[in-house]
Amino acid sequence: MSTLEKIHDIPVLICAPEGDPICGERDATDLIGNAGYQGAAWVAVPADRFDEAFFQLRTRVAGDIVQKFVQYRMGLAVVGDISRHTEASSALRDFVRECNRGRQTWFVADLDELRARLSGPTG
């Protein structure tokens, strides 16, 4: 079950590890709608909830999902170890690095890292 948590006064919908996989734009839109209804400004999604296609940039799934979050002005945190994916793809490594430089989409190891990032000036 997803829970809404305030992190440094920022409402974050923390998605449960179990649940339907996030496979594309429709799933992202549903998630954004649910988060918005609950008053969230950010959504933290376990990396394992994303379909494998998300981590293969040629499929455009990651770009489409991230774009939906940008369009609705909601932050997205992908939470968990994605090293097996980044080790296999320099393009994904670059994508993750660029996302982490911004203020919209972050790839973080765990919720503690998300809490630390949200406490800073980019939160």
Side-chain angles (χ1 to χ4, degrees):
M1 176 167 195
S2 299
T3 58
L4 188 66
E5 180 180 322
K6 284 248 182 167
I7 301 175
H8 305 289
D9 290 327
I10 300 168
V12 179
L13 182 67
I14 300 174
C15 296
E18 62 281 342
D20 294 331
I22 299 164
C23 300
E25 287 182 72
R26 174 170 281 157
D27 299 323
T29 303
D30 290 346
L31 187 55
I32 291 164
N34 181 30
Y37 177 76
Q38 294 188 48
W42 276 80
V43 179
V45 181
D48 291 342
R49 290 278 304 273
F50 287 96
D51 186 81
E52 286 295 310
F54 179 86
F55 300 102
Q56 299 166 3
L57 294 185
R58 71 181 178 279
T59 66
R60 305 180 91 187
V61 171
D64 291 345
I65 289 172
V66 167
Q67 184 58 40
K68 280 291 171 199
F69 277 85
V70 169
Q71 185 177 358
Y72 286 94
R73 293 183 174 94
M74 184 160 301
L76 171 64
V78 178
V79 182
D81 180 12
I82 62 165
S83 59
R84 72 181 176 96
H85 299 291
T86 56
E87 288 169 4
S89 170
S90 61
L92 180 62
R93 266 193 315 274
D94 293 343
F95 178 75
V96 169
R97 186 174 43 252
E98 285 304 311
C99 285
N100 283 342
R101 286 182 183 165
R103 299 175 60 148
Q104 178 69 43
T105 304
W106 296 334
F107 290 79
V108 296
D110 52 34
L111 289 175
D112 288 336
E113 185 179 348
L114 177 60
R115 287 181 184 98
R117 294 223 41 194
L118 288 172
S119 71
T122 59

